[in-house]
Amino acid sequence: MSIDILTGANAAWLIPALSIIAFPTTVFLGRFLPGKGSFISILAIFLGFILFWFVLFDFLSGNSVPLHVDIDWIHIGFWKITWGFLVDRISIVMLGLITFVALLVQIYSLQYMKGDNRYGWYFSLHAFFAGSMLLVVLADNLLFLYFAWELVGLGSYLLIGFWFDRRSAAEAAKKAFITTRIGDVGLLIGIIILFKATGTFHISSIIHAAQNGGVADSTIFWSSLLIFLGAMGKSGQFPLHVWLPDAMEGPTPVSALIHAATMVAAGVYLAVRMTPLFELVPEVQVTVALVGLITFIFAGVVALVTTDIKRVLAYSTISHLGLMMLSVGTGAVGAALFHLVVHGISKALLFLGAGNIMHATNDATDCWSFGGLKRKMPITTGIFLIGSLSLAGIAPLSGFFSKDEILGSVYQNMGYAFLIITLVGGFISALYMSRIFLITFTGDPRTDFAQNAHESSRIMLLPVVMLAIVAFFLGMVAFPMWDFNGFSAFVEQGYKFHIIPWLAIVSLMVAILGLLTGWVFYYKSLLSHRAMASRFGLFYRGALVGFWVDSIYEFIINRVVLALGRLIAAFDRIVVNDTGIDGSGKSVLLSAFKIRLIQTGKIYSYGTAMAFGVFLAVAVWWVF
């Protein structure tokens, strides 16, 4: 059937293509263009955002539901590999989030990165990074997805280490690249296992075969766990979260992009996409839920004691990614995607707000060095408050509705134990957002640069204000209205939106309690947070250093991996190389030195040897 590839949903492939094309264009021609070609990168993602709306409207009209296009790449007999794209409910949600956030972040960067020596290269990398992520969400098969997945990893490496002349940035980039590779190896092995079992890389075909008994249960189990390992690496799930806080070494707009709509979202997207496979093995679902719950609580506790404003937001990201994985583990993929979008908007808002603060305070990041910024930066204060309340889960902001749907799924599918622990995580989330806001914006300025802070320029405020507006009103899409059945119903056909009244009230009260606790400790100082911290002793000191996870990794690498590496190197050198390879060559050489002593070239010597040999042979024959 012929299709028009330039209209409606059929034009979805152009969305990543525009940014991918913008990358080499700005790299090679940017130096000759105004603004070093930054407008090309922005124009590419802007056109992608416009195309997203055409794709969405075409999808809602029912003209192409879903759209699946394949292009043959390798064809050998009955076996072929294709590149293709899939436009369905899940990918459309991701297209909207990525293009919207990437567009606003790039506009914000025009002023934030002004004067940087690699200004053009920065926007080139943005185009490459966004284009790679868009390829991930449109890929219809696991091989193509893995190809784009690795491009996302490369893009994050280059952007985190953008200021590579700083040792900390270079080390953070390497840490991110190596840590996520651990998960990526698992993902690759899982893909290979599924291909061996089904003979195809197509996601829909693999899931269909597995659901109809075409794949052994053990194969589904191990491949699902390995694929989830890949998602853990990209989305910073415990214990593969260690790269994400260090990724703050990149420019702040990069942090906003990574934490809101690109790299960390890739892991959640993959888990959502492969949920039909996970659901076939209940043990995998429980594993996903447990890892998500542990990550939610663990990162939230660390965020409570962290003072660097960007690292607080980084641990907040890890925590809420854990909440999304918990939702995936309960089977509520619509709620997980809803919270992914809500969190992405709110977290982009908060990171860009942090960028405004850093821009006004000589790149300071320690929250205790601020104070009183609400008088100096009223607009940034307002938008930061909206983002904080949204992530805290306060109604009527969007974070309340997405968290409420997750809590409902946890209650219905996992029971009271999971629900209570999740509510504790919600309290912690509200508390650390209250803490970072009150310390930063209220009270009196604690340093000279806080005293001299000023509001950012309009070009930096405009994207943040737009994000704040969306964060405030986005929750409305949870409700059925007109011909739209609500966000989760859009993602999951047949889903019925409903609120559990008592649970919504409990959730809201828990969030308010978290905010009030922060108000008591950090605004009114009715209780001393330092005295409270001292009561927790070792637990508090552990939280300060991320519960020694980095130290454990360092110990394992230095004392186990490197020691084992030295042992293997010694075995390779002494046994394999010196003995097995060089030793055999030396034995031939030494044998030649000995043998040449009897090679005299004299006939009587050879005759004597031959006679002695005959005599010896006869003697042996006679005896035996």
Side-chain angles (χ1 to χ4, degrees), residues 412-465:
Q412 292 174 341
N413 298 300
M414 306 301 292
Y416 281 104
F418 269 74
L419 177 62
I420 292 172
I421 299 174
T422 306
L423 287 171
V424 171
F427 170 81
I428 295 172
S429 182
L431 178 56
Y432 67 66
M433 291 312 304
S434 173
R435 170 181 177 267
I436 195 67
F437 178 83
L438 293 173
I439 293 174
T440 302
F441 293 98
T442 63
D444 297 320
R446 303 182 186 92
T447 56
D448 290 338
F449 49 76
Q451 179 66 47
N452 298 323
H454 55 84
E455 194 60 271
S456 300
S457 62
R458 292 180 180 178
I459 196 170
M460 291 174 65
L461 287 176
L462 177 62
V464 191
V465 170

Side-chain angles (χ1 to χ4, degrees), residues 35-36 38 109-111 113-124 162:
K36 297 186 178 180
S38 57
S109 299
L110 287 171
Q111 181 65 33
M113 297 299 294
K114 187 176 181 180
D116 192 275
N117 293 331
R118 293 184 288 274
Y119 187 79
W121 175 238
Y122 172 85
F123 281 93
S124 298
F162 180 76

Side-chain angles (χ1 to χ4, degrees), residues 154-431:
L154 175 60
S156 69
Y157 169 78
L158 294 173
L159 281 170
I160 294 170
F162 180 76
W163 289 317
F164 55 82
D165 45 349
R166 302 179 185 175
R167 181 173 178 80
S168 57
E171 293 296 328
K174 289 190 291 184
K175 187 175 184 179
F177 193 78
I178 293 171
T179 305
T180 54
R181 291 291 77 69
I182 296 173
D184 293 356
V185 169
L187 173 60
L188 179 60
I189 296 173
I191 292 172
I192 293 172
I193 290 174
L194 287 176
F195 176 76
K196 182 179 179 182
T198 62
T200 181
F201 290 109
H202 278 92
I203 298 174
S204 57
S205 300
I206 290 172
I207 292 174
H208 178 75
Q211 290 175 335
N212 288 276
V215 183
D217 290 343
S218 59
T219 300
I220 299 174
F221 175 79
W222 288 111
S223 60
S224 296
L225 281 182
L226 289 167
I227 288 173
F228 177 60
L229 182 63
M232 287 175 60
K234 276 288 194 289
S235 287
Q237 298 296 287
F238 179 87
L240 299 181
H241 67 281
V242 293
W243 67 271
L244 202 48
D246 289 1
M248 299 302 96
E249 292 295 335
T252 301
V254 169
S255 302
L257 189 62
I258 289 176
H259 286 250
T262 50
M263 188 164 175
V264 298
V268 177
Y269 165 79
L270 178 63
V272 168
R273 177 64 75 188
M274 301 304 294
T275 291
L277 190 69
F278 295 173
E279 289 177 337
L280 298 176
V281 186
E283 295 85 354
V284 174
Q285 285 286 88
V286 173
T287 301
V288 174
L290 278 174
V291 169
L293 186 61
I294 292 170
T295 304
F296 184 40
I297 301 297
F298 168 86
V301 171
V302 177
L304 273 178
V305 301
T306 305
T307 58
D308 185 300
I309 188 170
K310 289 181 65 177
R311 292 177 74 88
V312 171
L313 296 178
Y315 278 110
S316 170
T317 297
I318 297 170
S319 180
H320 280 269
L321 289 169
L323 184 59
M324 297 172 210
M325 287 298 187
L326 172 60
S327 182
V328 172
T330 65
V333 295
L337 268 189
F338 188 22
H339 196 63
L340 176 64
V341 173
V342 167
H343 171 268
I345 299 297
S346 301
K347 194 51 63 69
L349 162 65
L350 290 169
F351 266 111
L352 296 186
N356 286 352
I357 296 171
M358 294 171 62
H359 195 261
T361 58
N362 198 27
D363 287 333
T365 58
D366 189 338
C367 63
W368 288 108
S369 64
F370 302 132
L373 292 185
K374 67 178 181 179
R375 294 186 295 273
K376 304 292 183 178
M377 308 176 68
I379 300 177
T380 298
T381 301
I383 59 180
F384 206 94
L385 179 62
I386 291 174
S388 299
L389 293 177
S390 177
L391 286 187
I394 300 298
L397 281 83
S398 54
F400 168 78
F401 298 102
S402 60
K403 188 179 71 172
D404 186 71
E405 290 208 49
I406 293 176
L407 288 172
S409 178
V410 170
Y411 167 66
Q412 292 174 341
N413 298 300
M414 306 301 292
Y416 281 104
F418 269 74
L419 177 62
I420 292 172
I421 299 174
T422 306
L423 287 171
V424 171
F427 170 81
I428 295 172
S429 182
L431 178 56

Side-chain angles (χ1 to χ4, degrees), residues 56-118:
L56 176 61
F57 291 145
D58 193 41
F59 190 88
L60 292 176
S61 68
N63 292 332
S64 49
V65 185
L67 175 67
H68 187 187
V69 176
D70 268 337
I71 302 172
D72 285 353
W73 180 38
I74 299 175
H75 199 174
I76 303 174
F78 295 102
W79 181 66
K80 68 178 180 179
I81 298 177
T82 63
W83 299 122
F85 65 90
L86 172 66
V87 182
D88 65 353
R89 299 167 183 272
I90 298 174
S91 57
I92 287 176
V93 170
M94 296 300 298
L95 288 176
L97 175 65
I98 296 166
T99 53
F100 179 64
V101 173
L103 173 63
L104 294 182
V105 168
Q106 290 194 39
I107 293 173
Y108 180 91
S109 299
L110 287 171
Q111 181 65 33
Y112 190 90
M113 297 299 294
K114 187 176 181 180
D116 192 275
N117 293 331
R118 293 184 288 274

